[in-house]
Amino acid sequence: MSDEPTAPKLQVQIDEDISQGVYSNLVLLNHTENEFVLDFAFIQPSNGRAKVRSRVISSPRHTKRLLRALEINLRRYEERFGKIEDIEPSSPSDPTRIVS
């Protein structure tokens, strides 16, 4: 038996309405020195209006951990299901704005 302390297991609770999730095909990113703001929106192909469905505000440190987790999971996804085709930015003047 090890004398090393073990980290407590994280128990995550989620409300029923949140557990349903929302669909997003556009993410707008902004940041200040202290936080990142990710606005997840849905844009209908038939018009140019996007409605923000969810806003996530995160610290720079946590945003970097999120980026690493996404990279790891995308790599695992592509190993299992094949390469995801890269898409071009939707706006040449703003290469961070991507609509799929």
Side-chain angles (χ1 to χ4, degrees), residues 10-87:
L10 178 65
Q11 294 184 358
V12 177
Q13 295 180 348
I14 187 166
D15 293 332
E16 180 67 27
D17 59 331
I18 298 295
S19 70
Q20 299 301 309
V22 294
Y23 179 76
S24 171
N25 58 4
L26 173 68
V27 179
L28 303 169
L29 299 168
N30 290 294
H31 63 86
T32 66
E33 180 182 353
N34 299 312
E35 63 193 17
F36 278 78
V37 177
L38 294 84
D39 285 329
F40 292 85
F42 175 70
I43 185 168
Q44 294 180 340
S46 60
N47 66 36
R49 296 181 67 171
K51 180 171 181 162
V52 173
R53 300 276 182 97
S54 183
R55 173 174 279 183
V56 175
I57 302 169
S58 180
S59 71
R61 183 172 289 167
H62 181 72
T63 302
K64 192 163 193 172
R65 286 194 302 260
L66 173 63
L67 174 62
R68 287 188 187 134
L70 286 168
E71 289 172 335
I72 291 166
N73 279 275
L74 278 169
R75 191 174 327 115
R76 289 177 184 163
Y77 177 94
E78 289 183 330
E79 287 170 0
R80 183 171 181 190
F81 300 107
K83 185 163 174 50
I84 300 170
E85 184 179 328
D86 287 334
I87 55 175

